[in-house]
């Protein structure tokens, strides 16, 4: 049937049904193929004219189908040939397996027949093993008999410290023991695979002294090594012998390990106690010998000055031992020992542990300083590890610091707290001495410039500067911490100092006539001078402090300058109170008829003021000028307050002229007393003495209608003047009508200017007494 026959493309229904039942996927694939064919045909033959090429398409598809069938047939044929060849191979293998199985059955039968013969040979094997063991025992009898004598002789050599000879005998004994064990092990044969416990116990009993000899020799070796630093200058021979023995042991350990590691199959076991690793023990004993110098140090022996002496002794001892190692012991050991590096490492570790122990003690400030100075400066100085030939070695070892960064910070904090406790106690004592000085019945001391002072600022300044200078010997960080601490304590001291001033003033006010308060003002002035000295010291300390560390020690940095300013203000206030107390008896005499006629008590006021200003000259600038300025303000305020009392109301133009003239004369006397203040550049922007001539002009003015202009100028110069003040001035004139008064007050209300920046009010401090209203009803007795 040809491939192009249409009947070839159609399967019989029963065949298709049978195939679909066996492989359901075939039916689905056939449906998809038919659908794809219909889709293709509908696309190709979409028009009638396209049917002309139907024969061409049919021929092409027939050829393609025939080609596919041919390839399928050839592929199936090749698969069938391979399956046939495989079946032939399987048939040959089955025949060979039958032959092998029959041969194995015959071998099993023969083996079962020889079992009885093998059992008869086991007795012969046991006799052979026993014979070999007896042969080994007989051959080693001379050695076994001489073991005890060799052990005793080796013990005598060890006791006499003939270490090399003792080690040679010990090596012979160990070699005999190893040979005997090996012979017994080999005699046991493959079946034995190991010695029995009884055999091991027997050999161990004969060589029981060898293990004790090893321990005794090791003990002597480590005694020689541990005393090498002390005895090397006298006789280094024992140390050299010890090193040679250590190297022999290391070679033996290495050889035995290589032999056991490289042997295959039936290898010899390691002898008892191997490997010994005596080289590692050598360096461990050396480190223990170094640390032994620190173990004998106790807490009591190193307290106080003893700690500095102990650290100095450590320095000399370490450098002496290091010189011994470098110049003597280094030449007694192989180069790969690097004995100098080992000693440096051991001493560094021991020092690290020892200083950690010392730091944990309850040390005082001097002891902490000695530790910090030794760790940070002495240890790394050219006198110790800073030597050029040691610096390179220390850099290679990378040992790290003697005390960790955290440990140093804790030690520095402990030092600061210890010093702070001492500083606080000394400041308290200095303040108590200061308070006692205030009660002395003599004038305070003066310096070469004539300024009052006491011992307080000298003690405080010297103490803080000394602490900062000592801390700088350790480092800038500790210096900054010390300055910070000093500023805190300074602030606390000044706060207590201010409280003491307040109490001093209260005590004086309770009974100002006491004899012991005779120099009250003098000591107040001395306190102000002391504060100025302390301020200079504080500024100097703040300038020494590193800017980047000025605020890193606390969230709230100290502010002693503010405390100083508060103390100075309080002292100045007390001084002004004392001046006011001295002026108080004279003030009621101002603005009276007697004052207007005779001028009293102005000269007495000037005398009191002059006396106080003379005392102010014993105060250091700038507080001296500040006191003079405050005295000037106080005098003017009290003078104007006396005027505002309205004790004197002019009855006519002549009295107004006299009043104004007396005010001008008083102002001139005041200026003569205060003439030095104006030439020192410390006069305030508003000179209070300039107020008196202005008031005099206001009172002297002849035409009341010009008062409006006069008040306008007065308000421009002194914007804090109030209506009450102006009303009192108008009342004192005694000639102001109601209309003029109203016009003046209206102008003052309209032109009230704000206070300029930097202006110091003067009228604000002057209160106007309330006016007494006239009682309008007639007085009569109650019915």
């Amino acid at each position: 049937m040809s491939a192009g026959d249409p009947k070839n493309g159609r399967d019989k229904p029963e065949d298709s049904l049978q195939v679909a039942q066996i492989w359901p996927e075939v039916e689905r694939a056939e449906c998809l193929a038919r659908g794809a064919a219909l889709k293709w045909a509908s696309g190709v033959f979409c028009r009638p004219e396209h049917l002309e090429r139907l024969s061409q398409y049919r021929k092409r598809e027939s050829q393609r189908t025939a080609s596919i069938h041919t390839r399928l047939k050839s592929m199936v044929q090749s698969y069938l040939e391979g399956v046939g060849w495989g079946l032939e191979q399987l048939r040959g293998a089955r025949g060979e397996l039958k032959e092998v199985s029959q041969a194995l059955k015959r071998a099993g039968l023969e083996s079962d027949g020889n079992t009885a013969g093998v059992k008869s040979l086991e007795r012969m094997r046991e006799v052979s093993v026993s014979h070999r063991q007896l042969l080994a025992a007989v051959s080693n009898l001379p050695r076994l008999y001489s073991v005890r004598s060799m052990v005793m002789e080796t013990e005598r050599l060890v006791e006499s410290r003939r270490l090399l000879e003792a080690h040679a005998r010990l090596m012979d004994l160990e070699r005999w023991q190893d040979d005997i064990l090996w012979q017994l092990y080999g005699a046991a044969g493959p079946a034995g695979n190991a010695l029995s416990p009884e055999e091991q116990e027997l050999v161990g009993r004969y060589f029981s002294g060898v293990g004790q000899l090893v321990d005794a020799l090791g003990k002597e070796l480590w005694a020689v090594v541990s005393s090498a630093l002390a005895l090397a200058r006298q006789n280094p021979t024992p140390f050299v012998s010890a090193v040679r023995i250590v190297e022999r042991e290391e070679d033996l350990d290495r050889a035995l390990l290589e032999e056991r590691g490289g042997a295959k199959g039936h290898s010899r076991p390691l002898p008892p106690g191997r490997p010994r690793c005596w080289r590692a023990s050598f360096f461990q004993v050396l480190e223990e010998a170094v640390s032994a110098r620190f173990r004998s140090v106790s807490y009591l022996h190193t307290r106080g000055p003893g700690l500095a002496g102990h650290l100095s002794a450590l320095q000399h001892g370490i450098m002496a031992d290091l010189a011994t190692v470098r110049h003597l012991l280094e030449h007694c050991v192989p180069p790969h020992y690097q004995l100098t590096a080992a000693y440096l490492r051991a001493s560094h570790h021991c020092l690290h542990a020892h200083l950690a122990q010392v730091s944990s003690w309850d040390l005082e400030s001097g002891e902490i300083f000695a530790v910090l100075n030794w760790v940070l400066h002495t240890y790394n100085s050219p006198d110790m590890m800073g030597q050029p030939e040691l610096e390179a070695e220390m850099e290679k070892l990378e040992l790290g610091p003697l005390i960790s960064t955290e440990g140093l910070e804790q030690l520095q904090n402990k030092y600061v707290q210890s010093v702070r406790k001492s500083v606080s106690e000394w400041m308290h004592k200095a303040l108590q001495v200061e308070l006692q000085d205030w009660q002395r019945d003599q004038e305070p001391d003066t310096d070469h410039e004539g300024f009052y002072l006491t011992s307080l600022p000298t003690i405080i300044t010297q103490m803080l500067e000394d602490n900062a200078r000592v801390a700088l010997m350790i480092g800038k960080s500790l210096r900054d911490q010390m300055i910070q601490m000093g500023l805190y304590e300074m602030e606390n001291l000044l706060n207590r100092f201010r409280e003491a001033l307040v109490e001093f003033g209260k005590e004086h006010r309770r009974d100002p006539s006491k004899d012991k308060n005779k120099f009250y003002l003098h000591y107040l002035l001395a306190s102000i001078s002391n504060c100025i000295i302390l301020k200079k010291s504080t500024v100097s300390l703040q300038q020494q402090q590193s800017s980047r560390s000025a605020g890193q020690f606390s969230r709230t940095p100290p502010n002693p300058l503010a405390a100083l300013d508060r103390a100075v203000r309080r002292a100045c206030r007390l001084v002004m109170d004392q001046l006011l107390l001295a002026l108080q008896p004279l003030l009621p005499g101002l603005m009276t008829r007697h004052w207007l006629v005779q001028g009293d008590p102005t000269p007495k006021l000037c005398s009191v003021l002059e006396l106080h200003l003379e005392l102010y000259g014993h105060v250091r600038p700038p507080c001296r000028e500040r006191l003079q300025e405050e005295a000037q303000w106080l005098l003017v305020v009290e003078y104007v307050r006396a005027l505002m009392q309205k004790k004197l109301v002019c009855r006519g133009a002549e009295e107004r002229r006299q009043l104004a003239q007396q005010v001008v004369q008083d102002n001139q006397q005041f200026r003569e007393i205060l003439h030095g203040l104006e030439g020192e550049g410390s006069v305030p922007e508003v000179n209070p003495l300039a107020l008196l001539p202005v008031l005099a002009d206001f009172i002297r003015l002849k035409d009341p209608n010009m008062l409006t202009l006069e008040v306008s100028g007065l308000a421009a110069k002194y914007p804090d003047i109030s209506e009450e003040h102006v009303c009192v001035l108008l009342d004192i004139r005694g000639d102001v009508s109601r209309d003029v008064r109203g016009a003046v007050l209206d102008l003052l209300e309209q032109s009230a200017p704000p206070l300029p920046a930097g202006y110091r009010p003067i009228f604000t401090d002057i209160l106007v007494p309330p006016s007494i209203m006239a009682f309008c009803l007639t007085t009569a007795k109650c019915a």
Side-chain angles (χ1 to χ4, degrees), residues 79-146:
Y79 285 162
L80 291 175
E81 292 176 356
V83 170
W85 180 82
L87 291 174
E88 290 294 331
Q89 295 292 328
L90 289 174
R91 293 190 190 97
R94 185 177 62 179
E96 293 176 358
L97 285 174
K98 287 182 179 179
E99 294 178 0
V100 171
S101 177
Q102 293 174 359
L104 287 175
K105 288 181 179 180
R106 290 194 297 271
L109 294 174
E110 292 178 0
S111 176
D112 293 340
N114 294 331
T115 302
V118 172
K119 289 182 178 180
S120 63
L121 293 176
E122 289 182 358
R123 177 59 183 166
M124 187 178 293
R125 183 183 298 110
E126 294 175 359
V127 171
S128 175
V129 170
S130 177
H131 175 73
R132 275 186 284 182
Q133 291 178 349
L134 290 173
L135 179 62
V138 170
S139 62
N140 287 289
L141 279 177
R143 294 181 180 178
L144 292 175
Y145 284 127
S146 61

Side-chain angles (χ1 to χ4, degrees), residues 342 389 438 455 618 634:
E389 57 271 15
W438 290 353
S455 60
H618 293 284
L634 175 65

Side-chain angles (χ1 to χ4, degrees), residues 438-737:
W438 290 353
Q439 306 300 329
R440 291 193 306 174
D441 190 19
Q442 62 182 24
E443 193 175 358
D445 298 332
T446 57
D447 59 8
H448 64 283
E449 296 177 308
F451 299 129
Y452 285 146
L453 83 163
T454 61
S455 60
L456 179 67
T458 304
I459 295 173
I460 301 303
T461 301
Q462 188 68 32
M463 180 169 48
L464 296 182
E465 290 180 352
D466 289 346
N467 287 329
R469 183 169 57 254
V470 170
L472 183 59
M473 297 172 64
I474 300 299
K476 291 184 178 180
S477 174
L478 185 60
R479 188 269 313 272
D480 294 339
Q481 287 182 264
M482 196 60 60
I483 292 177
Q484 192 88 341
M485 177 276 297
L487 295 179
Y488 273 117
E489 292 303 317
M490 175 81 80
E491 184 177 8
N492 295 334
L493 171 72
L494 291 171
N495 290 332
R496 296 196 301 268
F497 184 75
R498 178 175 173 272
E499 294 172 0
L501 284 174
V502 172
E503 189 62 31
F504 189 41
K506 289 180 180 179
E507 181 182 354
H508 178 71
R509 285 194 296 272
R510 281 194 292 266
D511 190 2
S513 61
K514 279 187 177 182
D515 293 337
K516 67 177 184 179
N517 293 331
K518 183 167 54 176
F519 295 98
Y520 167 75
L521 178 60
H522 301 71
Y523 281 101
L524 285 178
L525 300 176
S527 300
I528 297 174
S529 293
N530 291 343
C531 289
I532 297 172
I533 298 174
L534 291 176
K535 181 178 181 179
K536 293 179 180 179
S537 175
T538 302
V539 172
S540 175
L541 288 174
Q542 290 177 336
Q543 291 174 351
Q544 295 178 38
Q545 193 174 14
S546 301
S547 57
R548 62 181 180 180
S549 62
Q552 71 180 9
F553 301 109
S554 176
R555 295 181 181 178
T556 55
N559 193 3
L561 294 180
L564 272 167
D565 187 57
R566 290 193 297 269
V568 169
R569 286 204 306 269
R570 173 55 59 184
C572 290
R573 183 68 264 167
L574 293 175
V575 171
M576 290 300 103
D577 291 345
Q578 185 65 14
L579 175 60
L580 180 60
L581 185 63
L583 296 177
Q584 203 72 45
L586 305 175
L587 293 176
L590 292 174
M591 304 302 165
T592 60
R593 296 288 175 181
H594 180 76
W595 165 79
L596 184 63
V597 175
Q598 298 183 0
D600 288 336
T602 302
K604 296 179 181 178
L605 287 174
C606 292
S607 299
V608 173
L609 181 62
E610 185 175 10
L611 176 62
H612 279 253
L613 290 177
E614 183 180 354
L615 291 176
Y616 299 165
H618 293 284
V619 180
R620 291 179 175 273
C623 286
R624 176 180 58 194
E625 290 77 12
R626 179 177 177 178
L627 289 173
Q628 293 172 349
E629 175 186 335
E630 291 298 324
Q632 182 181 6
W633 278 90
L634 175 65
L635 179 64
V636 173
V637 167
E638 295 300 325
Y639 191 89
V640 176
R641 180 179 286 115
L643 179 64
M644 293 295 164
Q645 298 293 325
K646 291 196 301 185
K647 291 182 289 185
L648 181 63
V649 176
C650 298
R651 300 170 183 172
E654 181 61 23
E655 285 192 358
R656 287 193 293 274
R657 184 189 65 77
Q658 291 180 0
L659 176 59
Q661 182 179 359
Q662 188 61 41
V663 170
V664 172
Q665 289 178 1
D666 290 350
N667 179 62
Q668 186 62 32
Q669 294 183 45
F670 296 153
R671 285 186 179 275
E672 290 177 358
I673 299 298
L674 299 168
H675 67 89
L677 183 61
E678 298 180 359
E680 296 179 359
S682 60
V683 182
E685 295 182 4
V686 178
N687 188 355
L689 285 177
L691 174 62
L692 300 184
V694 173
L695 296 178
D697 293 340
F698 183 89
I699 295 172
R700 187 189 298 116
L701 188 65
K702 296 180 180 180
D703 187 0
N705 295 322
M706 298 295 293
L707 288 175
T708 305
L709 182 60
E710 191 71 19
V711 169
S712 175
L714 182 62
K717 289 183 179 179
Y718 302 96
D720 61 319
I721 193 170
S722 64
E723 293 183 5
E724 290 80 4
H725 296 112
V726 174
C727 288
V728 171
L729 292 176
L730 295 177
D731 291 341
I732 291 174
R733 282 183 58 88
D735 64 340
V736 181
S737 63

Side-chain angles (χ1 to χ4, degrees), residues 250-263 270-271 274-277:
E250 284 294 313
D251 294 340
L252 282 173
D253 288 344
R254 191 184 311 109
L256 290 172
L257 289 173
E258 291 176 356
E259 178 183 351
R260 270 58 175 179
L270 284 173
R274 292 287 182 180
R276 293 204 175 105
C277 304

Side-chain angles (χ1 to χ4, degrees), residues 157-176:
L157 293 173
V158 171
E159 291 174 359
S160 60
R161 283 206 172 181
R162 296 163 63 181
L163 301 180
L164 288 176
E165 299 178 30
H167 186 251
R169 298 298 177 88
L170 180 61
M171 290 174 65
D172 291 338
L173 289 170
E174 288 181 332
R175 187 164 51 251
W176 292 355

